[in-house]
Amino acid sequence: MDSQIIGIDFADWRMPEVNADWIAALEAGKVLYFPRLSFELREEEKSLLRPDIRSPKARNISLDANNHLKGAEGDAAVQQALTEMIGRFREQAQTLVYSLLPRYQGALRLAPTSYRPMQVETRAQSWRADDRRLHVDAFPSRPNYGERILRVFSNINPEGVPRVWRVGEPFETVARKFLPRAKPYVAWQASVLKALRITKSYRSEYDHLMLQLHDGMKGDQTYQETAEQVTMPFAAGSVWVCFSDQVPHAVMSGQYMLEQTLHIPADKQYDPQANPLAILTRMMGRPLV
Ligand code: SIN
Ligand code: FE
């Protein structure tokens, strides 16, 4: 397997040049890793690095596009400090993405920014929600019709603890293994899910297949252990970027991370043939959305 991780030795959020090889690698499902690019915490922000700052009911702390903070405990001053820290990361993550992928400008849709203060190793979850199993991102309640999930991650651990991921094989290899086992798509079931508001919109065949891949991978213990994969410790004070709907990934350990999700329509990419929608459409031989 070719290396799934591409190291980029820049320490600035604004890329000094456009590099077609990196764009092609990212769109082909590689992870771009910036070991020297760090999110700088202000002195007064260091006190925000504690797990009990998250409200026990929330999975993450998040800041939406209207600067509305969710999932945090603490008084107004703490909430304000979190808003500023997460908001600053959002600006820097956008600077990175715009300078890395200039043609995406105008087509990107910003999702909420998240701050994840919990220790990964101690989180107990059902197998389907367990991100310690290799998976591609696919969300049961939010059909996306092939719109991409581009994510910028930053490990802000103050004690030098890496965030350790496993990164799996190329998307097409995954699809070849799990499509034959996928349950068939049933249009009337998609209508029922929508009527019951289990999904926010009608689940397309693409969304169905992506969930089948997600569940197929996570539910297969043999696959988890034997699939080609690399263990990758993302250093404290580093950034990495990938299409998480395409790169099989699992998080094994670490604590304190910032994450920005950006969405882009599949047909607005540099190579509109490299994404999961194009790959699955070719493999199934019919339109999926
Ligand atoms: C995930 O997206 O599966 C989790 C990534 C992480 O928490 O490092
Ligand atoms: Fe994930």
Side-chain angles (χ1 to χ4, degrees):
M1 185 166 74
D2 287 351
S3 173
Q4 296 297 88
I5 320 278
I6 312 287
I8 300 177
D9 197 30
F10 286 141
D12 196 323
W13 293 89
R14 191 177 301 280
M15 294 291 101
E17 67 206 49
V18 178
N19 184 312
D21 291 343
W22 296 340
I23 295 173
L26 180 70
E27 288 195 345
K30 312 269 180 192
V31 180
L32 302 186
Y33 176 40
F34 300 84
R36 290 200 301 130
L37 182 56
S38 63
F39 177 76
E40 300 297 337
L41 284 176
R42 296 185 180 140
E43 199 48 45
E44 67 274 18
E45 289 172 344
K46 297 197 171 143
S47 65
L48 304 175
L49 302 192
R50 51 188 169 84
D52 62 359
I53 200 158
R54 175 184 61 105
S55 100
K57 285 180 273 191
R59 193 174 149 108
N60 295 313
I61 296 173
S62 68
L63 185 68
D64 73 15
N66 301 318
N67 263 354
H68 189 74
L69 187 77
K70 279 198 284 215
E73 299 277 285
D75 61 15
V78 168
Q79 305 263 335
Q80 182 58 31
L82 280 168
T83 300
E84 278 175 30
M85 177 181 81
I86 301 171
R88 200 166 73 253
F89 172 69
R90 176 161 68 199
E91 291 302 316
Q92 295 178 341
Q94 281 179 276
T95 300
L96 177 64
V97 167
Y98 287 152
S99 58
L100 194 62
L101 302 146
R103 213 189 283 168
Y104 282 13
Q105 279 213 42
L108 287 166
R109 189 168 65 80
L110 195 68
T113 318
S114 77
Y115 167 41
R116 308 183 188 189
M118 307 78 78
Q119 187 171 23
V120 169
E121 301 90 302
T122 56
R123 215 158 56 187
Q125 254 147 4
S126 70
W127 67 267
R128 196 175 263 128
D130 189 357
D131 290 337
R132 290 172 298 191
R133 293 165 184 256
L134 280 169
H135 65 284
V136 288
D137 286 348
F139 303 108
S141 65
R142 285 176 277 145
N144 68 23
Y145 293 79
E147 190 183 45
R148 305 307 313 281
I149 305 172
L150 177 62
R151 291 193 150 159
V152 179
F153 301 93
S154 179
N155 179 357
I156 58 168
N157 190 286
E159 276 140 18
V161 178
R163 197 167 189 94
V164 180
W165 275 26
R166 292 184 291 141
V167 176
E169 54 198 3
F171 183 85
E172 195 153 347
T173 311
V174 173
R176 267 201 299 276
K177 265 177 215 160
F178 289 96
L179 276 189
R181 303 186 213 167
K183 286 191 205 135
Y185 177 65
V186 183
W188 68 261
Q189 287 176 345
S191 304
V192 172
L193 292 174
K194 176 161 179 271
L196 295 176
R197 305 218 168 107
I198 294 170
T199 55
K200 294 203 169 77
S201 60
Y202 186 76
R203 185 183 285 171
S204 67
E205 183 167 11
Y206 169 79
D207 290 288
H208 167 78
L209 292 174
M210 289 298 287
L211 283 168
Q212 288 290 305
L213 298 186
H214 171 277
D215 291 0
M217 296 170 87
K218 277 191 177 172
D220 184 339
Q221 189 54 35
T222 307
Y223 180 79
Q224 292 293 322
E225 287 162 16
T226 60
E228 263 200 83
Q229 53 192 280
V230 289
T231 295
M232 180 64 209
F234 292 110
S238 77
V239 164
W240 60 107
V241 181
C242 70
F243 282 105
S244 63
D245 52 357
Q246 182 173 11
V247 179
H249 60 282
V251 59
M252 306 317 291
S253 62
Q255 188 172 18
Y256 305 117
M257 184 177 75
L258 290 164
E259 173 270 333
Q260 177 67 57
T261 300
L262 299 123
H263 298 293
I264 178 145
D267 60 3
K268 293 280 167 37
Q269 298 198 261
Y270 287 77
D271 180 359
Q273 296 309 318
N275 55 60
L277 176 60
I279 291 170
L280 293 178
T281 301
R282 281 198 294 276
M283 293 176 81
M284 298 300 287
R286 59 169 177 271
L288 302 176
V289 294

Coordinates of all heavy atoms in Angstrom, one line a residue, residues 66-120:
N66 N -23.0 30.8 13.7 CA -23.5 32.1 14.3 C -22.8 32.4 15.7 O -23.3 33.2 16.5 CB -25.0 32.0 14.6 CG -25.8 31.8 13.3 OD1 -25.4 32.4 12.3 ND2 -26.7 30.9 13.3
N67 N -21.7 31.7 15.9 CA -20.9 31.9 17.1 C -21.7 31.5 18.4 O -21.5 32.0 19.5 CB -20.4 33.3 17.3 CG -19.0 33.5 16.8 OD1 -18.3 32.5 16.5 ND2 -18.6 34.7 16.8
H68 N -22.5 30.5 18.2 CA -23.3 30.0 19.3 C -22.6 28.8 19.9 O -22.3 27.8 19.2 CB -24.7 29.6 18.8 CG -25.6 29.3 19.9 ND1 -26.2 30.2 20.7 CD2 -26.1 28.1 20.3 CE1 -27.0 29.6 21.6 NE2 -26.9 28.3 21.4
L69 N -22.2 28.8 21.2 CA -21.4 27.7 21.8 C -22.3 26.7 22.4 O -23.3 27.1 23.1 CB -20.5 28.3 22.9 CG -19.5 27.4 23.5 CD1 -18.3 27.1 22.5 CD2 -19.0 28.0 24.8
K70 N -22.1 25.4 22.2 CA -22.9 24.4 22.8 C -22.0 23.3 23.5 O -20.9 23.1 23.0 CB -23.7 23.7 21.7 CG -24.9 24.4 21.3 CD -25.9 23.5 20.6 CE -25.5 23.3 19.2 NZ -26.5 23.2 18.2
G71 N -22.6 22.8 24.5 CA -21.9 21.6 25.1 C -20.9 21.9 26.2 O -20.2 21.0 26.7
A72 N -20.8 23.2 26.6 CA -19.7 23.6 27.6 C -20.3 23.9 29.0 O -21.4 24.4 29.1 CB -18.9 24.8 27.1
E73 N -19.6 23.6 30.0 CA -19.9 24.0 31.4 C -19.2 25.3 31.7 O -18.3 25.6 31.0 CB -19.5 22.9 32.4 CG -20.1 21.5 32.2 CD -21.4 21.4 32.8 OE1 -21.5 21.3 34.1 OE2 -22.4 21.4 32.1
G74 N -19.6 25.9 32.7 CA -18.9 27.1 33.2 C -19.6 28.4 33.0 O -20.6 28.5 32.3
D75 N -19.1 29.4 33.7 CA -19.8 30.7 33.7 C -19.5 31.5 32.4 O -18.9 31.0 31.5 CB -19.3 31.6 34.9 CG -17.8 31.8 34.9 OD1 -17.2 31.7 33.8 OD2 -17.2 32.2 35.9
A76 N -20.0 32.7 32.4 CA -20.0 33.5 31.1 C -18.6 33.7 30.7 O -18.3 33.7 29.5 CB -20.7 34.8 31.3
A77 N -17.6 33.9 31.6 CA -16.3 34.2 31.2 C -15.6 33.0 30.6 O -14.9 33.1 29.6 CB -15.4 34.6 32.5
V78 N -15.9 31.8 31.1 CA -15.4 30.6 30.5 C -16.0 30.3 29.1 O -15.3 30.0 28.2 CB -15.7 29.4 31.5 CG1 -15.4 28.0 30.7 CG2 -14.9 29.4 32.7
Q79 N -17.3 30.6 29.0 CA -18.0 30.4 27.7 C -17.4 31.4 26.7 O -17.2 31.0 25.5 CB -19.5 30.6 27.9 CG -20.1 29.8 29.0 CD -20.8 28.5 28.4 OE1 -21.2 28.4 27.3 NE2 -20.9 27.5 29.3
Q80 N -17.1 32.6 27.1 CA -16.5 33.6 26.2 C -15.1 33.2 25.8 O -14.8 33.3 24.6 CB -16.5 34.9 26.9 CG -16.0 36.1 26.1 CD -16.8 36.3 24.8 OE1 -18.0 36.0 24.8 NE2 -16.1 36.7 23.7
A81 N -14.3 32.7 26.7 CA -13.0 32.3 26.4 C -13.0 31.1 25.4 O -12.2 31.0 24.5 CB -12.2 31.9 27.7
L82 N -13.9 30.1 25.6 CA -14.0 29.0 24.7 C -14.4 29.5 23.3 O -13.9 29.0 22.3 CB -15.1 28.0 25.2 CG -14.6 27.0 26.3 CD1 -15.8 26.3 26.9 CD2 -13.6 26.0 25.8
T83 N -15.4 30.4 23.3 CA -15.8 30.9 22.0 C -14.7 31.6 21.2 O -14.5 31.4 20.0 CB -17.0 32.0 22.3 OG1 -18.0 31.3 22.9 CG2 -17.5 32.6 20.9
E84 N -13.8 32.3 22.0 CA -12.7 33.0 21.3 C -11.7 32.0 20.8 O -11.2 32.1 19.7 CB -12.0 34.0 22.2 CG -12.8 35.3 22.3 CD -12.2 36.3 23.2 OE1 -11.0 36.2 23.5 OE2 -13.0 37.1 23.8
M85 N -11.4 31.0 21.6 CA -10.4 30.0 21.3 C -10.8 29.2 20.0 O -10.1 29.0 19.1 CB -10.1 29.0 22.4 CG -9.1 27.9 22.1 SD -8.8 26.8 23.4 CE -10.2 25.7 23.3
I86 N -12.1 28.7 20.1 CA -12.6 27.8 19.0 C -12.8 28.7 17.8 O -12.5 28.3 16.6 CB -13.9 27.1 19.4 CG1 -13.6 26.3 20.7 CG2 -14.4 26.3 18.3 CD1 -14.9 25.7 21.3
G87 N -13.2 29.9 17.9 CA -13.4 30.8 16.8 C -12.1 31.1 16.1 O -12.0 31.2 14.9
R88 N -11.0 31.3 16.9 CA -9.7 31.6 16.3 C -9.2 30.4 15.5 O -8.7 30.5 14.4 CB -8.7 31.9 17.4 CG -7.5 32.7 16.9 CD -6.7 33.3 18.0 NE -6.0 32.3 18.8 CZ -6.3 32.0 20.1 NH1 -7.3 32.5 20.7 NH2 -5.5 31.1 20.7
F89 N -9.4 29.2 16.0 CA -9.1 28.0 15.3 C -9.9 27.9 14.0 O -9.3 27.5 12.9 CB -9.3 26.7 16.1 CG -9.1 25.4 15.3 CD1 -7.9 25.0 14.9 CD2 -10.2 24.7 15.0 CE1 -7.7 23.9 14.1 CE2 -10.1 23.5 14.2 CZ -8.8 23.1 13.8
R90 N -11.1 28.2 14.1 CA -12.0 28.2 12.8 C -11.4 29.1 11.7 O -11.3 28.7 10.6 CB -13.4 28.6 13.2 CG -14.3 28.7 11.9 CD -15.7 28.7 12.3 NE -16.1 29.9 13.0 CZ -17.2 30.0 13.7 NH1 -18.0 29.0 13.9 NH2 -17.5 31.1 14.3
E91 N -11.0 30.3 12.1 CA -10.3 31.2 11.2 C -9.1 30.6 10.6 O -8.9 30.7 9.4 CB -10.0 32.6 11.9 CG -11.1 33.4 12.3 CD -12.0 33.8 11.1 OE1 -11.5 34.1 10.1 OE2 -13.3 33.6 11.3
Q92 N -8.2 30.1 11.4 CA -7.0 29.5 10.9 C -7.2 28.3 10.0 O -6.5 28.1 9.0 CB -6.0 29.2 12.1 CG -5.7 30.5 12.8 CD -4.8 30.3 14.1 OE1 -4.7 29.3 14.6 NE2 -4.2 31.4 14.5
A93 N -8.1 27.5 10.4 CA -8.4 26.3 9.6 C -8.9 26.7 8.2 O -8.6 26.1 7.2 CB -9.5 25.4 10.3
Q94 N -9.8 27.8 8.2 CA -10.3 28.2 6.9 C -9.1 28.8 6.1 O -9.1 28.6 4.9 CB -11.3 29.3 7.1 CG -12.7 28.7 7.5 CD -13.7 29.8 7.7 OE1 -13.8 30.4 8.8 NE2 -14.5 30.1 6.7
T95 N -8.2 29.6 6.7 CA -7.1 30.1 6.0 C -6.3 29.0 5.3 O -5.9 29.0 4.2 CB -6.2 30.9 7.0 OG1 -6.9 32.0 7.5 CG2 -4.9 31.4 6.3
L96 N -6.1 27.9 6.1 CA -5.3 26.8 5.6 C -6.0 26.1 4.4 O -5.4 25.9 3.3 CB -5.2 25.7 6.7 CG -4.5 24.4 6.3 CD1 -3.0 24.7 5.9 CD2 -4.5 23.4 7.5
V97 N -7.3 25.9 4.5 CA -8.0 25.2 3.5 C -8.1 26.1 2.2 O -7.9 25.6 1.1 CB -9.5 24.8 4.0 CG1 -10.4 24.4 2.8 CG2 -9.3 23.7 5.0
Y98 N -8.4 27.4 2.4 CA -8.5 28.3 1.2 C -7.2 28.4 0.5 O -7.1 28.5 -0.7 CB -8.9 29.7 1.7 CG -10.4 29.8 2.0 CD1 -10.8 30.7 3.0 CD2 -11.3 28.9 1.5 CE1 -12.2 30.8 3.3 CE2 -12.7 29.0 1.8 CZ -13.1 29.9 2.8 OH -14.4 30.0 3.1
S99 N -6.0 28.4 1.3 CA -4.8 28.6 0.6 C -4.2 27.3 0.0 O -3.5 27.2 -1.0 CB -3.7 29.2 1.5 OG -3.5 28.4 2.7
L100 N -4.7 26.2 0.6 CA -4.3 24.9 0.1 C -5.1 24.5 -1.2 O -4.6 23.9 -2.1 CB -4.6 23.9 1.2 CG -4.1 22.4 1.2 CD1 -2.6 22.4 1.2 CD2 -4.6 21.7 2.4
L101 N -6.4 24.9 -1.2 CA -7.4 24.5 -2.2 C -8.1 25.7 -2.7 O -9.3 25.8 -2.5 CB -8.4 23.5 -1.6 CG -7.8 22.3 -1.0 CD1 -8.5 21.8 0.2 CD2 -7.7 21.1 -2.0
P102 N -7.4 26.6 -3.4 CA -8.1 27.9 -3.7 C -9.3 27.7 -4.6 O -10.3 28.5 -4.4 CB -7.0 28.7 -4.5 CG -5.8 27.8 -4.6 CD -6.0 26.6 -3.7
R103 N -9.4 26.7 -5.4 CA -10.6 26.6 -6.2 C -11.8 26.2 -5.4 O -12.9 26.2 -5.9 CB -10.3 25.5 -7.3 CG -11.0 25.8 -8.6 CD -10.9 24.6 -9.6 NE -9.6 24.5 -10.2 CZ -9.2 23.4 -10.9 NH1 -10.0 22.4 -11.0 NH2 -8.0 23.4 -11.4
Y104 N -11.7 25.8 -4.2 CA -12.8 25.4 -3.4 C -13.6 26.7 -2.9 O -14.7 26.6 -2.4 CB -12.4 24.6 -2.1 CG -12.1 23.2 -2.4 CD1 -12.0 22.6 -3.6 CD2 -12.0 22.3 -1.3 CE1 -11.7 21.3 -3.8 CE2 -11.7 21.0 -1.4 CZ -11.5 20.5 -2.7 OH -11.3 19.1 -2.8
Q105 N -12.9 27.8 -2.9 CA -13.5 29.1 -2.4 C -14.8 29.3 -3.1 O -14.9 29.2 -4.3 CB -12.6 30.3 -2.6 CG -11.5 30.3 -1.6 CD -11.0 31.7 -1.3 OE1 -11.9 32.6 -1.2 NE2 -9.8 31.9 -1.2
G106 N -15.8 29.7 -2.3 CA -17.1 30.0 -2.8 C -18.0 28.8 -2.9 O -19.2 28.9 -3.0
A107 N -17.4 27.6 -2.8 CA -18.2 26.3 -2.8 C -18.2 25.7 -1.5 O -19.0 24.7 -1.2 CB -17.6 25.4 -3.9
L108 N -17.4 26.1 -0.5 CA -17.3 25.5 0.8 C -18.5 25.9 1.7 O -18.9 27.1 1.7 CB -16.0 25.8 1.5 CG -14.7 25.1 0.9 CD1 -13.5 25.8 1.5 CD2 -14.7 23.6 1.3
R109 N -19.0 25.0 2.4 CA -20.0 25.3 3.4 C -19.4 24.9 4.8 O -19.0 23.8 5.0 CB -21.2 24.5 3.1 CG -22.5 24.8 3.9 CD -23.7 24.1 3.3 NE -23.6 22.6 3.4 CZ -23.9 21.9 4.5 NH1 -24.3 22.6 5.6 NH2 -23.8 20.6 4.5
L110 N -19.5 25.9 5.7 CA -18.8 25.7 7.0 C -19.7 25.0 8.0 O -20.9 25.4 8.1 CB -18.5 27.1 7.6 CG -17.5 27.2 8.7 CD1 -16.1 26.8 8.3 CD2 -17.5 28.6 9.2
A111 N -19.3 23.9 8.6 CA -20.0 23.2 9.6 C -19.5 23.7 11.0 O -18.5 24.4 11.0 CB -19.8 21.7 9.5
P112 N -20.2 23.4 12.1 CA -19.7 23.8 13.4 C -18.3 23.3 13.6 O -17.8 22.3 13.1 CB -20.7 23.2 14.4 CG -21.9 23.0 13.6 CD -21.5 22.7 12.2
T113 N -17.6 24.1 14.5 CA -16.2 23.8 14.9 C -16.3 23.0 16.2 O -17.1 23.4 17.1 CB -15.4 25.1 15.1 OG1 -15.7 26.0 14.0 CG2 -13.9 24.8 15.1
S114 N -15.5 22.0 16.4 CA -15.6 21.3 17.7 C -14.3 21.3 18.4 O -13.2 21.3 17.9 CB -16.1 19.8 17.4 OG -15.1 19.0 17.0
Y115 N -14.5 21.2 19.7 CA -13.4 21.1 20.7 C -13.7 19.8 21.5 O -14.7 19.6 22.0 CB -13.3 22.3 21.6 CG -12.4 22.1 22.8 CD1 -11.2 21.5 22.7 CD2 -12.8 22.6 24.1 CE1 -10.4 21.3 23.8 CE2 -12.0 22.5 25.2 CZ -10.8 21.8 25.1 OH -10.0 21.7 26.2
R116 N -12.7 18.9 21.4 CA -12.9 17.6 22.1 C -11.9 17.4 23.2 O -10.8 17.0 23.0 CB -12.7 16.5 21.0 CG -13.6 16.7 19.8 CD -13.4 15.6 18.8 NE -14.1 15.9 17.5 CZ -14.3 15.1 16.5 NH1 -13.9 13.9 16.6 NH2 -15.0 15.5 15.4
P117 N -12.3 17.7 24.4 CA -11.4 17.6 25.6 C -11.3 16.2 26.3 O -10.6 16.1 27.2 CB -12.0 18.6 26.5 CG -13.5 18.6 26.3 CD -13.7 18.2 24.8
M118 N -12.1 15.3 25.8 CA -12.1 14.0 26.5 C -10.9 13.1 26.1 O -10.5 13.1 25.0 CB -13.4 13.2 26.2 CG -14.7 14.0 26.4 SD -15.0 15.1 25.0 CE -15.6 14.1 23.8
Q119 N -10.6 12.3 27.0 CA -9.6 11.3 26.8 C -10.2 10.1 25.9 O -11.2 9.5 26.3 CB -9.0 10.7 28.1 CG -7.8 9.8 27.8 CD -7.1 9.5 29.1 OE1 -7.6 9.5 30.1 NE2 -5.8 9.1 28.9
V120 N -9.6 9.8 24.8 CA -10.2 8.9 23.9 C -10.2 7.5 24.5 O -11.2 6.8 24.4 CB -9.3 8.8 22.6 CG1 -9.7 7.7 21.7 CG2 -9.4 10.1 21.8

